[in-house]
Amino acid sequence: MQSLCQMEEKRQGELDAMIMSTKEKQEECTRKSGRLFIASLATFTEKFLLQLDEVVTIDDVQVAKMEPPKQKTSILIRRKLAGHSLEEESEKPLTERGSRKWPGIKPTEVTIENKILLRKTPSITTTKTTLGHLAAVEARDAVYMKYLTLFEEELKKIQDDSTAQMKAAQRWKDCWKRSVDTIKGLYQ
């Protein structure tokens, strides 16, 4: 009986160590995957923005200048009295044009705490600014935030699974101890 109890205690100790080891390995694997994902996201975004620079835009094409149409004198007088410009307003672009420096991915409390992103990724300088560039950076930021949510959920799941395994192991230890005490009580 004594050797059986010693073997069971040894097995229980090994199980506890294995549960903790598995938890630590899963957390490290999740962190490693997080670092790889963020680096890949930053690299992909940089390459995509630079490819968007190669796309021909309206600014790359010389548009013929046309003389503005003549306005009636009565319309010009009404505009002047209303305090408006006498020249016809031209359409404004939806976004600023020209070269731009796009911010890198910023670390958050979660990324710093888990050591997956400690400092901001490098900024990206493009020769153009288009709606495509804006959409790419917005999409990158949205994907990054969604990933951080999933990352936190995965770490919580690992913690919950480990806790459940430790509780099950403790229930078995308690049951084993009661059974041994019961058997010892029968033979005294």
Side-chain angles (χ1 to χ4, degrees):
M1 183 68 169
Q2 186 83 16
S3 68
L4 181 63
C5 286
Q6 288 174 347
M7 285 181 4
E8 178 59 19
E9 286 173 8
K10 180 181 176 194
R11 187 200 68 77
Q12 290 172 0
E14 289 171 353
L15 178 63
D16 289 347
M18 191 60 73
I19 290 170
M20 291 307 295
S21 172
T22 301
K23 175 187 172 232
E24 289 167 4
K25 286 178 183 176
Q26 285 179 322
E27 287 175 340
E28 183 52 38
C29 182
T30 302
R31 287 185 187 100
K32 183 178 177 183
S33 296
R35 286 188 290 272
L36 179 64
F37 178 81
I38 291 171
S40 297
L41 180 62
T43 302
F44 172 78
T45 304
E46 179 179 8
K47 287 179 181 177
F48 189 67
L49 289 174
L50 294 176
Q51 284 179 347
L52 285 173
D53 276 353
E54 302 302 317
V55 175
V56 177
T57 62
I58 193 71
D59 295 339
D60 297 333
V61 180
Q62 287 279 341
V63 180
K65 300 268 184 191
M66 294 178 53
E67 251 187 69
K70 303 276 184 192
Q71 297 285 336
K72 291 183 180 180
T73 308
S74 59
I75 293 174
L76 292 173
I77 292 172
R78 272 189 244 137
R79 278 190 173 175
K80 177 123 176 145
L81 292 174
H84 297 295
S85 170
L86 298 180
E87 295 178 11
E88 201 163 311
E89 295 179 15
S90 60
E91 288 186 31
K92 292 183 181 175
L94 295 173
T95 182
E96 273 186 37
R97 303 295 185 173
S99 180
R100 183 161 176 182
K101 189 172 187 174
W102 302 93
I105 299 173
K106 295 178 185 151
T108 65
E109 190 176 311
V110 173
T111 63
I112 293 170
E113 180 182 306
N114 288 287
K115 297 182 174 109
I116 61 171
L117 181 65
L118 300 175
R119 58 181 174 244
K120 186 173 143 181
T121 61
S123 298
I124 306 159
T125 303
T126 59
T127 57
K128 297 179 186 176
T129 301
T130 64
L131 293 177
H133 287 81
L134 289 170
V137 172
E138 288 173 3
R140 176 204 64 187
D141 293 344
V143 166
Y144 175 60
M145 296 313 290
K146 176 72 173 168
Y147 180 77
L148 290 181
T149 301
L150 296 173
F151 178 82
E152 287 181 290
E153 289 172 5
E154 184 62 25
L155 287 180
K156 184 175 180 343
K157 182 178 176 282
I158 291 169
Q159 179 65 41
D160 292 347
D161 289 349
S162 175
T163 301
Q165 290 171 352
M166 289 300 283
K167 285 180 180 178
Q170 187 59 47
R171 281 194 302 273
W172 172 253
K173 286 179 193 175
D174 295 344
C175 182
W176 174 261
K177 188 174 181 328
R178 281 193 304 275
S179 297
V180 168
D181 289 346
T182 301
I183 291 171
K184 283 181 179 178
L186 291 174
Y187 290 101
Q188 284 184 354

